[in-house]
Amino acid sequence: MKGGVMIILVALITLPSRLLQADNNLSDIDKLPPKFEQVYGKQAKKRASSWQQLLHAIRRQEPLQQLEAVNHFFNQMAFVDDLVVWGKRDYWATPFEFLGAGAGDCEDYSIAKYVSLRDLGIADDKLRLIYVKALQLNQFHMVLAYYPTPASVPLLLDNLNPEIKPATERPDLQPIYSFNGSKLWLMKLRGQGEHVGDASRLKHWNNLRQRFDNQQFAQPRLQRNH
């Protein structure tokens, strides 16, 4: 993750989005976009098909089982910096772009997990994408949080640590702000935060939404073929 947190926080856009609506199940991911194989190739198509098959297989499982399966699936992807994969210092890939490239960074893991769990029917108010500072690495990082209840300490899905743990058991992460499809919070306490806006859109999130809605795929500079 590159760039300053405050720059991201002030870069808000308020446009409606099918991807961001809390009552939407993102059913479009059940169908592989026609251009996907043309852009990314046969191996990427296999990765995307495996994702779709996984979602179908676990659709009737309990939420915690779904979290484990989705977390494990995406944590198998290669971690590679945005500058290497996309030629940009900070690029938020859609799940299809992430699977197409076969590699990505922390935002890509977290967003793909978020979209997957929303597709499985987990309510938007139970999920937050959280920007944190990874203290041991001394760098900004993103994780996905799942709140079983509004007052719960969230469970964190992270590519740095494959084990899903409560936020209270991750002292290596310092929360900064969080968001989901409808709200933005500044984090004051571990697992909670101050709501600072409804229907606000982060610039990177809005750009991702537009590509997702329009089935647009960026061409990566680096692509894994296995």
Side-chain angles (χ1 to χ4, degrees), residues 62-64 66-67 117 122-123 125-130 143-149 152-157 164-167:
E62 295 298 316
L64 292 182
Q66 294 174 335
L67 262 64
L117 294 173
I122 293 181
D125 60 9
K126 291 180 178 289
L127 299 170
R128 293 190 195 178
L129 293 148
I130 303 183
V143 299
L144 178 65
Y146 169 74
Y147 292 75
T149 70
S152 297
V153 173
L155 301 174
L156 301 185
L157 286 67
I164 297 176
K165 292 184 176 183

Side-chain angles (χ1 to χ4, degrees), residues 6 49 73 109 121 174 203 214 224:
M6 292 310 298
S49 296
F73 178 85
Y109 289 92
Q174 179 182 331
K203 182 177 179 180
N214 298 324
R224 294 176 63 88

Side-chain angles (χ1 to χ4, degrees), residues 14 22 25 54 72 80 84 98 106 130 147 158 175 215-216 218 220:
T14 55
N25 278 343
L54 171 72
H72 174 72
V80 182
V84 176
F98 184 29
C106 58
I130 303 183
Y147 292 75
D158 186 8
Q215 295 189 354
Q216 296 174 336

